[in-house]
Amino acid sequence: MGDWTALLPHLSDADRRQVETGLAEADERIRTLLRAASANYWVSSVTNLPEWATVRAWPAEERRRAALALHRGSTSGMSGVLPNLATEDVPFTRADLLWCLDVVARRGGVDDGTDLELPALIAPRLTAAELADLVPALSALSSELLDDYFIAAATRRRTVTLLGQAIDRATGSRLPAWLLHDGDSFGPTVRADLGADLVAPGVPELLEHCAALDKPAATAKWLRRLDELLVAAHGGRQVVRQLLDAFTAHGRSVHDDTDRLLRGLVWALSRERDERATELLARATAGAAAAPRQAAGFPYAPRTAIAAVRLLADRDGDVPLRTLARLAVTVRNKAVRSRVQTALTQLGARRGWSLSEVMELAVDDHGLGPDGRLRRAVGPYEATVEIVGERARLVFARDGASLKGVPAQVKQSHEDDLAELRSLVKRVGATLVSERQRVEGLLSEERVWSYPDWSSRLLDHPVTATYARSLLWETSTDGQRWTAGLPRRNRDGWTMVDRDGHALGHGSVRLWHPARADTAEVLAWRAHLVDAGLTQPFKQAFREVYLRTPAEEKTETYSNRFAAHILRYRQANALMRARGWQAGYLGTWDGGYDSEATKVFGGGAWQASFHHALVNDPEERRHDVEYCSTDQVRFARHDGKTWQPAQIIDVPPLVFTEAMRDVDLFVGVTSIATDPQWADRGEDRFSAYWHRTAVAELTPSAQVRGDALARLLPRMAIADRVDLAERYLRVRGNLRAYRIHLGSGNIMMEPDDRYLCIVAARQQTGRLHLPFDDDAMLATILSKAIMLAADDRITDPTVLSQLRPAQVG
């Protein structure tokens, strides 16, 4: 509505003189008493002192003048003084309110909100006629307060509520102005859409009660009153559902006041136990916990999410299970995520499942068949939602013939069907992403399945099977001797076969991990995957193994293995989040100079933490974070509701290797040493680190990369031009020879070891089959090797200029 000060009615000179009469004397009298009482600094408010009894005995007019005098001066640090002066018997006038607002306006507007305490107390006491011409200014002031996050939340809510009461009195509105206000787009939208439903008898009182809930858990007294209001309100239960339905469709952040109202509404919905209520509660929970992509740690409605997670865990059926399981891998906010984990643990305990088993049973199949397809007739066409590779897609066919794109008739005559199918594709895609992360996370667990559970939950599930069918598993009939194999379907169902194709016995099953296998077995399975042309969704046979070192056992509680690296921070932070680590963002603010990224391993029993810190930029005007330095990796064991620090020697081997693998990935991918354009930066402060790390001893991930290259290179056309050494791939071109570092991918030219900078636009390896998809550096090295083997065909002038012999003199 614009600047509220410009909307204030004019205060006449006569009214100003009338208001200010006697204020100087009142100010001296009240401040003398306050100064005397201030010696009792240990008392929270001077109104609790015996001396204040004198003030209570003052006549109402005297207390009016004292309150106005304090408002003209300063009330900072005078907790409770104005409300105790401005009691209900004090005869405030319209001129008093206008004068108070004029004082605030002359000061330059609202400061911390305390300067509005007295006008907010006066406004609701005036009549509708006295307030009529003040409504525009009061409404604009309320809107300004709603957008002012420098004012304490409690102060803002109290002021907006009181001003709203005055506005409602003046306008005759039955729905309080402070409910569903214009502090976000949700409030005005539902006011317009629901209209009369919101002002039906008893509904405003119900909404006020819901908004008054100030904690995630409702008290018995609050719930009793809620039940009474739900019965008394005309269509109250339906309004609760309508508002929550509208919120789930809103898909954006809401104001804190709206969040508080929604929190009360989910409690109101929880009083109904039907299946539709459970489904709506699940959607509201997911909607509240969702967050913008660019700010994943800030949910749309965090207060609602925390309350709804708890309520959802108390419901029966599969919907709560699937919703919470999905949130466990998608939510980035620590407070919400911890409550999701707690809710899943409690839900599983009631049903006799571990947390890992809960997550497994909750995976949504979206109605797809075991073949990963769902077929549906849409007019004369057959629509199929199917999983291809690791993606979901929608295709159409007619009379058995596949069609390209969506038929025009479907677009024109079956819009709703098409929208529903596209939504299904999106949901299946989201489940694929979260399920890939969950299945890979099983590598840190000592999890064992019965053969029937393994077949039904992992191989027959249309989404999970996308990953499980191409992984290595182990089976055992006695729990002591384990034999590895790959899943294979026959006419009797699923079985497991060894490298020679022989069926293995049907015993207990666990996921194969190279840390539990000897070197010969690991190498044999790697060769089998390459020879058979099999691709795994993530590294398993070629997975790196990280063993404890004597240095780590000596430090006892932390590892410095990946300390003292310089990382490109934005890329590192994004990679941490993609791998499921939670970390506060670094920045030049209090508490932003260092951070601790954490991730849960071992089915929720262990937590790893990776410490990193901001590297100060000497360019003072720059406020974004470009680099961070790495520090310790620590571990903690889950103990009830807390994490207890653990010694390195006590960490299970699978937990240790998986955590260290992630940290190695952060360093290996985002270190400045892998930046091919870094070499020539003159006196750059990180130059020494770059030159040291760019040719450093290989980490386990680079060692595995070398083993993969040893198996892949003999199959390539450049096989006679390459040699694999301890740290390098040597390539013989037609112009000169080159060494590519297996860790950083950096290139040195022989014989003078000059650095060659090549920035590959796209990583091309031709038709070469790679046994896994999650090592971008492997593809980079191969693409560079292919190009350098034919260096006489290079046309890029920036590369050609570097290939010329160095000039001497």
Side-chain angles (χ1 to χ4, degrees):
M1 294 181 64
D3 183 2
W4 68 273
T5 62
L7 299 173
L8 282 174
H10 176 66
L11 177 66
S12 68
D13 291 341
D15 283 344
R16 184 182 300 277
R17 285 193 298 272
Q18 186 275 327
V19 172
E20 294 179 352
T21 298
L23 293 195
E25 296 80 1
D27 185 69
E28 177 61 27
R29 186 177 183 187
I30 186 65
R31 292 192 184 276
T32 298
L33 185 146
L34 292 174
R35 282 194 295 271
S38 65
N40 300 297
Y41 56 85
W42 60 86
V43 179
S44 60
S45 173
V46 295
T47 60
N48 295 326
L49 295 172
E51 293 89 338
W52 192 256
T54 304
V55 177
R56 291 195 186 98
W58 287 357
E61 178 60 28
E62 187 68 23
R63 282 183 278 118
R64 168 187 164 274
R65 291 175 181 172
L68 292 171
L70 288 178
H71 175 75
R72 186 169 60 176
S74 172
T75 59
S76 178
M78 301 181 188
S79 174
V81 171
L82 281 178
N84 273 272
L85 287 172
T87 54
E88 290 292 335
D89 61 325
V90 175
F92 287 109
T93 66
R94 175 187 178 280
D96 291 339
L97 174 59
L98 190 52
W99 180 86
C100 287
L101 293 173
D102 183 67
V103 168
V104 176
R106 288 172 181 271
R107 289 175 182 160
V110 179
D111 186 14
D112 62 357
T114 58
D115 47 0
L116 289 175
E117 187 173 21
L118 185 57
L121 289 169
I122 297 174
R125 303 183 189 181
L126 303 183
T127 66
E130 291 174 315
L131 291 165
D133 63 343
L134 283 165
V135 168
L138 295 179
S139 297
L141 174 56
S142 295
S143 295
E144 180 179 310
L145 293 174
L146 293 172
D147 293 332
D148 193 337
Y149 288 92
F150 290 98
I151 298 177
T155 301
R156 175 183 52 75
R157 281 197 307 276
R158 182 172 59 252
T159 305
V160 169
T161 299
L162 291 171
L163 294 178
Q165 291 173 4
I167 294 170
D168 295 338
R169 174 171 295 180
T171 60
S173 173
R174 294 192 57 198
L175 182 65
W178 56 273
L179 280 176
L180 299 170
H181 52 61
D182 61 0
D184 55 34
S185 59
F186 177 73
T189 299
V190 294
R191 276 180 174 259
D193 291 346
L194 300 183
D197 292 339
L198 297 176
V199 294
V203 171
E205 291 79 8
L206 171 62
L207 298 182
E208 287 187 69
H209 184 69
C210 287
L213 180 61
D214 59 359
K215 293 182 179 180
T219 63
K221 180 180 179 181
W222 188 91
L223 288 173
R224 283 195 299 271
R225 180 57 179 157
L226 173 66
D227 292 337
E228 293 171 359
L229 291 169
L230 284 170
V231 172
H234 181 72
R237 297 182 189 275
Q238 182 61 24
V239 169
V240 169
R241 295 192 184 217
Q242 288 175 313
L243 285 170
L244 291 175
D245 261 326
F247 170 67
T248 61
H250 184 63
R252 291 188 294 279
S253 296
V254 295
H255 194 277
D256 182 62
D257 293 345
T258 304
D259 191 8
R260 291 170 181 272
L261 170 61
L262 292 169
R263 176 171 62 186
L265 290 173
V266 295
W267 272 97
L269 180 64
S270 73
R271 310 305 280 174
E272 303 181 53
R273 306 300 298 183
D274 60 278
E275 187 175 335
R276 289 184 58 195
T278 298
E279 291 174 354
L280 177 54
L281 181 58
R283 287 190 285 114
T285 306
R293 180 175 300 179
Q294 67 274 19
F298 297 89
Y300 290 149
R303 298 179 190 276
T304 304
I306 288 172
V309 162
R310 172 178 177 171
L311 294 170
L312 192 61
D314 291 333
R315 313 288 284 203
D316 297 326
D318 293 336
V319 171
L321 185 61
R322 290 175 177 172
T323 301
L324 292 171
R326 193 177 301 116
L327 292 179
V329 295
T330 58
V331 169
R332 294 291 178 260
N333 179 272
K334 285 186 176 181
V336 177
R337 186 167 182 148
S338 67
R339 284 165 173 81
V340 170
Q341 294 285 352
T342 300
L344 281 171
T345 302
Q346 293 172 347
L347 189 152
R350 288 201 307 271
R351 304 187 186 187
W353 302 328
S354 67
L355 177 59
S356 180
E357 195 170 9
V358 168
M359 299 291 288
E360 184 172 277
L361 292 168
V363 181
D364 199 340
D365 63 13
H366 299 286
L368 304 181
D371 62 349
R373 291 182 173 87
L374 180 146
R375 295 178 175 85
R376 180 180 300 174
V378 181
Y381 303 96
E382 181 183 67
T384 302
V385 174
E386 60 181 4
I387 297 175
V388 179
E390 294 185 39
R391 295 180 179 274
R393 69 177 187 178
L394 172 63
V395 295
F396 286 86
R398 183 167 187 174
D399 299 329
S402 298
L403 303 175
K404 290 185 177 180
V406 180
Q409 184 178 345
V410 172
K411 294 180 180 179
Q412 296 167 3
S413 304
H414 302 277
E415 294 180 358
D416 292 343
D417 291 331
L418 180 59
E420 182 182 347
L421 289 167
R422 283 176 168 168
S423 175
L424 176 59
V425 170
K426 185 177 180 179
R427 296 196 304 274
V428 173
T431 302
L432 281 166
V433 171
S434 60
E435 188 62 352
R436 185 188 194 279
Q437 185 174 342
R438 187 191 72 83
V439 172
E440 187 175 8
L442 293 173
L443 287 165
S444 72
E445 297 184 38
E446 294 285 355
R447 180 84 184 277
V448 177
W449 293 261
S450 68
Y451 213 91
D453 284 347
W454 172 68
S455 300
S456 62
R457 297 180 185 178
L458 299 164
L459 304 181
D460 284 332
H461 192 288
V463 178
T464 309
T466 302
Y467 309 104
R469 293 177 186 176
S470 55
L471 295 176
L472 287 167
W473 301 85
E474 291 181 292
T475 183
S476 173
T477 56
D478 59 6
Q480 300 297 320
R481 295 182 297 276
W482 294 85
T483 307
L486 287 165
R488 176 183 292 178
R489 184 191 287 278
N490 57 32
R491 56 187 174 186
D492 297 323
W494 288 97
T495 189
M496 197 183 300
V497 297
D498 62 16
R499 290 186 296 275
D500 297 322
H502 298 144
L504 303 176
H506 287 199
S508 299
V509 179
R510 70 182 186 185
L511 187 58
W512 183 89
H513 196 296
R516 287 192 294 229
D518 59 39
T519 303
E521 182 182 7
V522 173
L523 296 178
W525 276 113
R526 290 178 180 177
H528 178 76
L529 292 180
V530 174
D531 292 342
L534 300 176
T535 298
Q536 296 191 298
F538 45 78
K539 286 184 180 179
Q540 187 192 25
F542 283 87
R543 203 169 190 82
E544 307 84 354
V545 174
Y546 299 78
L547 304 176
R548 289 189 298 266
T549 64
E552 287 161 340
E553 293 179 355
K554 185 176 181 180
T555 57
E556 294 187 347
T557 58
Y558 63 89
S559 167
N560 272 330
R561 188 183 307 197
F562 297 108
H565 285 276
I566 306 298
L567 311 185
R568 298 184 293 274
Y569 178 64
R570 286 185 294 278
Q571 185 181 3
N573 182 264
L575 185 55
M576 290 178 203
R577 295 180 183 278
R579 293 293 300 170
W581 291 69
Q582 306 294 308
Y585 205 81
L586 294 176
T588 53
W589 49 77
D590 187 25
Y593 286 86
D594 53 62
S595 182
E596 176 188 25
T598 60
K599 181 179 177 179
V600 173
F601 291 90
W606 290 86
Q607 182 187 75
S609 58
F610 171 44
H611 297 256
H612 52 289
L614 178 152
V615 175
N616 287 327
D617 197 319
E619 178 58 55
E620 295 182 1
R621 296 182 180 179
R622 184 166 188 156
H623 298 291
D624 61 323
V625 180
E626 192 170 7
Y627 307 109
C628 71
S629 62
T630 63
D631 205 333
Q632 300 172 353
V633 177
R634 291 177 176 266
F635 293 87
R637 192 198 315 262
H638 196 236
D639 182 14
K641 295 183 178 181
T642 62
W643 293 99
Q644 296 298 326
Q647 293 194 344
I648 295 290
I649 197 170
D650 295 328
V651 180
L654 295 186
V655 171
F656 183 83
T657 186
E658 289 301 304
M660 298 301 280
R661 180 182 184 272
D662 270 0
V663 178
D664 188 6
L665 179 69
F666 305 152
V667 173
V669 172
T670 69
S671 168
I672 63 172
T674 63
D675 184 349
Q677 301 185 75
W678 195 279
D680 187 15
R681 295 205 178 187
E683 297 300 320
D684 187 273
R685 58 193 173 132
F686 300 138
S687 179
Y689 166 79
W690 187 93
H691 285 284
R692 181 176 67 253
T693 308
V695 294
E697 183 179 346
L698 300 186
T699 64
S701 62
Q703 293 170 9
V704 170
R705 191 175 299 133
D707 184 62
L709 286 168
R711 301 174 188 283
L712 296 171
L713 291 171
R715 303 166 182 270
M716 300 178 64
I718 62 171
D720 61 340
R721 288 181 168 268
V722 295
D723 298 297
L724 199 58
E726 181 181 358
R727 299 187 188 182
Y728 300 93
L729 173 64
R730 187 172 185 273
V731 183
R732 294 184 299 278
N734 293 316
L735 300 179
R736 60 194 310 164
Y738 313 87
R739 286 181 293 123
I740 307 175
H741 191 262
L742 301 184
S744 65
N746 292 314
I747 307 169
M748 309 298 287
M749 297 184 290
E750 297 181 355
D752 51 355
D753 282 348
R754 281 195 299 127
Y755 177 75
L756 174 61
C757 176
I758 295 179
V759 181
R762 294 184 63 184
Q763 298 164 358
Q764 297 182 348
T765 57
R767 297 182 178 179
L768 180 66
H769 163 76
L770 300 180
F772 44 82
D773 294 330
D774 55 351
D775 188 354
M777 184 58 71
L778 175 62
T780 297
I781 291 173
L782 287 171
S783 64
K784 289 181 177 181
I786 292 170
M787 181 177 68
L788 293 174
D791 55 1
D792 56 337
R793 299 181 185 177
I794 295 175
T795 58
D796 187 329
T798 61
V799 177
L800 289 175
S801 64
Q802 299 176 73
L803 294 180
R804 300 189 188 101
Q807 299 296 319
V808 180

